[in-house]
Amino acid sequence: MKMLYMDTREDMPYRPTKPTTVEELKLCAARIRLQLLELCTKEVIHIGGDLSIADVMTVLWLYQMKYDPSNPKWEKRDRFVLSKGHASAVTSFAQAMRGCFPAEAVIRDYAKDGKSFSMHSCALNNRFVEASTGSLGHGFPIACGMAAGLRLKKNDTSRVYVLMGDGEQAEGSVWEAAMNAAHYKLGNLAAIIDCNGFEADGRIDELTAINDLGDKYRAFGWNVCEFDGNDIGEIKYRFDRLPPPRSEKPTALICRTVKGKGVPFMENEPKWHAGKITPEQFKECEDLLLREWRKP
Ligand SMILES: Cc1ncc(C[n+]2csc(CCOP(=O)(O)OP(=O)(O)O)c2C)c(N)n1
């Protein structure tokens, strides 16, 4: 199959370096979805939870985060920790679009021994990864430690963003971290929770129901905002209004999303937590996404 590397596609030609409008960001999200699906023809990836959070990751990496791809250790950068470490593919494509490395490298090297793009984020072989993750419930406490570290260094302009899943909320360490973040007044911490309603084995409400997650974070002393995590305009609006990093309450961004978003046969279908697609399925998805993208 001819690989359609997204950096050079002629049918989606616009590649803004710093998208600012909702329309530009929507295009970037569509391209990231196509990159994910292209990779998914070659490797098993966690496609369901990559697609659910693709819109948030687009706005986060291409619009929101203070970050210099030519200097990933810049002291004043915002930090990102992928606590749901299995969403490494969408993270890598968002970073690629921000200019960290070419998307082609992700497609070529993903899950290959000794290369930079692992199935779960790995900081040992990729300098754009802040912390190695994959064991659920660990990235969040690491992010809290980073936010506390920024306070000790008197850095009051950087934020730490951490992405978790709703299934991940069943880990006890999540609640230890939530309690500590409020206690240490980490207003420089923003926890993004991808509430797609599913974990690996099925529906969250049938496995470990989390009921009203917003109430839980509020009870732990957090600011909470809850919104449609597949609506780019809404995501941008919420990021624009985050309290400043020097404020005293951490913020939970509860994103209501659809697992497998954008690919009808994957949406809300537990078997697409992880998987691989055929070239024919890729073509079907590509036609659909391009049609969607061209809609006025
Ligand atoms: C501690 C731990 N237990 C189990 C797993 C296996 N596992 C990988 S992904 C996953 C489901 C996670 O669900 P969720 O956090 O909702 O992620 P999403 O549905 O967004 O992909 C599980 C149980 C793991 N990675 N870590």
Side-chain angles (χ1 to χ4, degrees):
M1 187 181 98
K2 182 170 163 280
M3 284 300 161
L4 300 160
Y5 294 129
M6 295 300 132
D7 282 354
T8 52
R9 283 186 77 112
E10 281 170 14
D11 49 357
M12 294 179 99
Y14 183 48
R15 184 170 189 267
T17 46
K18 183 84 174 98
T20 50
T21 67
V22 170
E23 283 319 304
E24 287 168 342
L25 287 162
K26 275 187 186 168
L27 169 58
C28 294
R31 289 172 71 144
I32 286 177
R33 283 199 164 84
L34 279 171
Q35 289 167 338
L36 284 167
L37 290 161
E38 182 168 341
L39 177 59
C40 199
T41 62
K42 298 180 65 186
E43 297 288 344
V44 170
I45 66 171
H46 290 91
I47 186 71
D50 281 329
L51 288 169
S52 61
I53 205 63
D55 301 296
V56 170
M57 291 296 273
T58 302
V59 184
L60 181 68
W61 274 94
L62 302 184
Y63 170 78
Q64 177 70 7
M65 272 181 59
K66 196 154 58 89
Y67 197 79
D68 176 2
S70 67
N71 182 14
K73 297 292 172 229
W74 178 39
E75 276 294 317
K76 300 257 179 235
R77 75 191 181 281
D78 288 335
R79 277 74 170 162
F80 172 76
V81 177
L82 181 67
S83 198
K84 62 165 219 173
H86 55 283
S88 61
V90 69
T91 305
S92 296
F93 286 125
Q95 291 181 318
M97 208 168 271
R98 179 68 188 249
C100 299
F101 34 72
E104 287 88 335
V106 184
I107 291 177
R108 186 188 62 223
D109 293 343
Y110 189 85
K112 301 277 187 302
D113 279 352
K115 300 289 187 184
S116 300
F117 307 102
S118 318
M119 254 191 120
H120 296 82
S121 274
C122 179
L124 293 178
N125 56 8
N126 184 329
R127 64 203 174 99
F128 301 96
V129 174
E130 300 277 357
S132 300
T133 49
S135 188
L136 295 167
H138 288 204
F140 187 28
I142 294 172
C144 291
M146 284 179 183
L150 291 174
R151 292 286 203 234
L152 290 173
K153 288 183 183 163
K154 310 257 180 278
N155 175 339
D156 62 2
T157 55
S158 300
R159 272 202 193 91
V160 181
Y161 296 92
V162 54
L163 172 62
M164 289 182 277
D166 48 0
E168 186 176 3
Q169 303 303 298
E171 299 290 342
S173 51
V174 166
W175 300 100
E176 294 174 41
M179 193 157 54
N180 269 269
H183 176 81
Y184 288 105
K185 301 187 177 7
L186 302 179
N188 55 352
L189 178 67
I192 301 165
I193 305 154
D194 180 5
C195 289
N196 57 33
F198 290 84
E199 56 113 293
D201 300 319
R203 296 188 62 87
I204 306 273
D205 51 13
E206 288 167 5
L207 294 162
T208 306
I210 49 176
N211 301 319
D212 196 328
L213 194 58
D215 280 352
K216 289 189 168 62
Y217 275 93
R218 256 179 239 108
F220 275 72
W222 285 57
N223 288 318
V224 173
C225 64
E226 203 161 339
F227 55 94
D228 180 344
N230 293 127
D231 178 333
I232 297 265
E234 181 74 25
I235 300 163
K236 182 172 173 292
Y237 177 90
R238 301 296 178 157
F239 277 140
D240 281 341
R241 282 155 188 78
L242 272 178
R246 64 176 66 86
S247 63
E248 297 207 332
K249 266 188 174 191
T251 299
L253 298 160
I254 299 187
C255 305
R256 298 281 163 212
T257 61
V258 173
K259 199 153 179 175
K261 177 70 182 176
V263 179
F265 64 84
M266 291 184 183
E267 287 187 1
N268 294 322
E269 192 47 71
K271 78 169 185 190
W272 286 105
H273 173 71
K276 201 170 167 181
I277 57 174
T278 62
E280 292 72 32
Q281 282 172 316
F282 175 77
K283 188 80 192 78
E284 185 187 325
C285 302
E286 185 184 39
D287 291 346
L288 203 126
L289 280 163
L290 287 175
R291 248 197 331 270
E292 268 300 301
W293 172 64
R294 290 198 185 105
K295 263 192 197 160

